[in-house]
């Protein structure tokens, strides 16, 4: 009986000890992160932090504020975590998803984003990135920020540097049959995110430092002073020639990581997720999380405060998951106890 009790304790304690060591990174050499499914842990955390009623309230508030993207995000989280939404909330969300409402909502925002390079919703972000991918945005931003540089005014090194890198990446994309596309996408995402105010101060410093290594801003200033920046054709020709001196190797790694996040979460959500990124380590963690959760990633981060899959895989969440199967565990222990007791009774009778 003592052995049985010790075995049960061992079987219960071992998983918690394992998760405690794993959470602290002490088993990284032996246990790949992907070997432990994240979904049960994420759902356990969501059960502790939200509910169907809470998500219904959040969806209603988002719709009241004309924030359709957030409303859809919370609905996806409800479906993912098997949390029933209020029927009225579901009907309201379905009405907003009607074709006529989507056309009205999306068209104006897309055009505005394409023209200004700025926006606050998904269509506007898509428009802004479309203008960048056709080089229109790069030339526009070089003209705007370059004029400030030439006039001695304060300008955005991040926007100007990324715009120059964008033209260089466009040339490389054509020359390599698409090889420079991830850099091109990364440039567009970061420019839109910077204008939207979702890039953190820490990440801005990091990317500017890399851009200063890739782009010679002093030489760039000389080039800009020799061209009429109000003439977009002349600006494009001058900067395209200058772009040959840009070292794409300096910026390719970080821009490729941003493009990887875009593939996982989508362009608009990537812009929003940049507010949780201070360095390349954060970018990697959020990207891996987005690979699992897709467009739900930002909502899960907001609800739980966790920005990486490992953060969900804790001993406490293991306990929550175990509690869902408490009757099975109790039944198993009871069966072992009954078996041991039955054997003892049989031995006594035989004796």
């Amino acid at each position: 009986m003592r052995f049985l009790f010790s075995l049960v304790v061992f079987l219960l304690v071992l998983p918690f000890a394992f998760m405690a060591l794993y959470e602290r990174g002490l088993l990284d050499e032996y246990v790949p992160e992907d070997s432990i499914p994240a979904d049960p842990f994420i759902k356990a955390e969501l059960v502790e932090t939200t509910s169907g009623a809470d998500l219904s309230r959040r969806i209603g508030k988002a719709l009241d504020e004309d924030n359709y993207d957030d409303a859809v995000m919370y609905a996806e989280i409800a479906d993912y975590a098997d949390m029933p939404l209020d029927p009225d909330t579901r009907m309201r969300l379905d009405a907003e998803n009607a074709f006529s409402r989507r056309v009205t909502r999306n068209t104006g925002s897309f055009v505005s984003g394409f023209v200004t390079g700025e926006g606050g919703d998904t269509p506007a972000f898509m428009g802004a990135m479309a203008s960048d991918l056709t080089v229109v945005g790069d030339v526009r931003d070089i003209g705007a920020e370059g004029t400030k540089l030439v006039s001695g005014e304060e300008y955005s090194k991040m926007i100007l540097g990324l715009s120059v890198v964008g033209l260089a990446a466009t040339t490389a994309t054509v020359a390599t049959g698409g090889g420079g596309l991830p850099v091109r996408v990364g440039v567009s995402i970061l420019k839109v995110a910077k204008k939207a105010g979702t890039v953190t101060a820490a990440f801005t410093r990091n990317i500017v430092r890399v851009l200063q290594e890739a782009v010679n801003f002093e030489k760039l200033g000389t080039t800009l002073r020799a061209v009429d920046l109000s003439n977009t054709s002349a600006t494009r020709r001058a900067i395209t020639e200058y772009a040959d001196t840009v070292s794409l190797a300096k910026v390719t790694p970080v821009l490729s990581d941003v493009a990887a996040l875009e593939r996982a979460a989508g362009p608009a959500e990537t812009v929003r997720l940049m507010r949780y990124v201070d360095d390349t380590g954060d970018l990697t963690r959020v990207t891996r999380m987005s690979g699992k959760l897709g467009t739900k990633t930002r909502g899960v981060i907001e609800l739980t405060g966790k920005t990486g899959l490992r953060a969900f895989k804790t001993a406490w969440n293991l306990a929550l998951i175990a509690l869902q199967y408490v009757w099975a565990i109790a039944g198993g222990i009871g069966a072992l106890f009954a078996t041991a007791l039955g054997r003892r009774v049989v031995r006594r009778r035989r004796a």
Side-chain angles (χ1 to χ4, degrees):
M1 197 64 186
R2 182 179 299 175
F3 170 76
L4 179 61
F5 177 77
S6 299
L7 178 62
V8 170
V9 171
F10 175 76
L11 291 176
L12 290 175
V13 171
L14 182 61
F16 294 102
F18 172 82
M19 292 309 300
L21 292 172
Y22 175 81
E23 182 185 1
R24 288 164 175 76
L26 300 178
L27 300 178
D28 286 352
E29 295 183 26
Y30 314 101
V31 184
E33 185 171 327
D34 293 337
S35 64
I36 301 177
D39 284 315
F41 294 91
I42 297 172
K43 292 178 180 179
E45 190 88 29
L46 287 171
V47 167
E48 286 296 294
T49 56
T50 189
S51 64
D54 175 56
L55 292 171
S56 295
R57 179 188 60 79
R58 291 174 183 270
I59 291 170
K61 181 181 178 182
L63 292 177
D64 288 342
E65 297 173 351
D66 293 325
N67 195 340
Y68 179 73
D69 294 339
D70 278 11
V72 171
M73 176 186 69
Y74 290 126
E76 289 180 351
I77 290 174
D79 293 339
Y80 171 74
D82 297 321
M83 296 178 179
L85 293 174
D86 180 78
D88 291 339
T89 299
R90 182 69 74 175
M91 288 178 60
R92 187 179 176 190
L93 191 60
D94 290 341
E96 285 295 320
N97 192 40
F99 179 75
S100 58
R101 287 287 296 135
R102 283 187 283 120
V103 170
T104 301
R105 185 171 53 240
N106 295 349
T107 304
S109 290
F110 181 90
V111 172
S112 175
F114 188 92
V115 173
T116 65
E118 302 176 10
D121 58 12
T122 295
F125 289 148
M126 295 299 291
M129 281 177 275
S131 69
D132 269 336
L133 290 172
T134 57
V135 208
V136 172
D138 288 330
V139 176
R140 175 196 62 222
D141 292 334
I142 289 170
E145 298 301 326
T147 298
K148 296 175 186 177
L149 183 156
V150 171
S151 302
E153 301 175 23
E154 184 176 349
Y155 68 98
S156 172
K157 274 192 174 182
M158 181 171 174
I159 296 295
L160 180 57
L162 285 171
S163 298
V164 173
V165 168
L167 282 177
T170 299
T171 302
T173 299
V174 174
T176 61
L181 187 57
V183 174
R184 176 67 267 182
V185 171
V187 165
S188 299
I189 291 286
L190 286 184
K191 284 173 62 180
V192 174
K194 180 63 175 175
K195 294 175 183 179
T198 61
V199 180
T200 64
F203 192 80
T204 297
R205 288 193 296 271
N206 287 332
I207 192 67
V208 167
R209 184 167 56 250
V210 174
L211 287 170
Q212 286 175 323
E213 295 178 7
V215 178
N216 185 330
F217 280 90
E218 184 176 347
K219 184 178 178 181
L220 175 62
T222 301
T223 300
L224 292 175
R225 291 183 183 92
V227 66
D228 178 7
L229 294 175
S230 63
N231 185 327
T232 56
S233 297
T235 300
R236 179 174 180 176
R237 284 196 301 271
I239 299 302
T240 299
E241 293 176 5
Y242 172 82
D244 291 337
T245 66
V246 174
S247 176
L248 286 180
K250 302 285 186 180
V251 293
T252 293
V254 64
L255 293 176
S256 295
D257 286 345
V258 173
L261 177 57
E262 185 272 335
R263 289 193 297 274
E269 280 304 308
T270 299
V271 170
R272 298 181 178 109
L273 284 168
M274 290 306 300
R275 68 175 70 254
Y276 301 106
V277 174
D278 285 334
D279 53 38
T280 54
D282 290 340
L283 186 57
T284 299
R285 284 190 292 274
V286 172
T287 299
R288 289 179 66 85
M289 191 170 172
S290 296
K292 171 63 65 176
L293 295 170
T295 55
K296 300 183 291 293
T297 304
R298 178 171 55 92
V300 172
I301 290 175
E302 290 178 359
L303 291 168
T304 66
K306 307 288 179 67
T307 57
L309 294 176
R310 181 187 295 278
F312 290 95
K313 301 173 185 178
T314 63
W316 171 243
N317 272 342
L318 184 63
L320 294 177
I321 295 169
L323 286 175
Q324 297 176 17
Y325 305 97
V326 65
W327 288 112
I329 295 173
I333 294 174
L336 290 173
F337 179 78
T339 300
L341 183 62
R343 288 176 178 174
R344 179 173 293 185
V345 170
V346 170
R347 284 199 299 268
R348 284 180 177 178
R349 288 180 176 178
R350 288 177 178 177

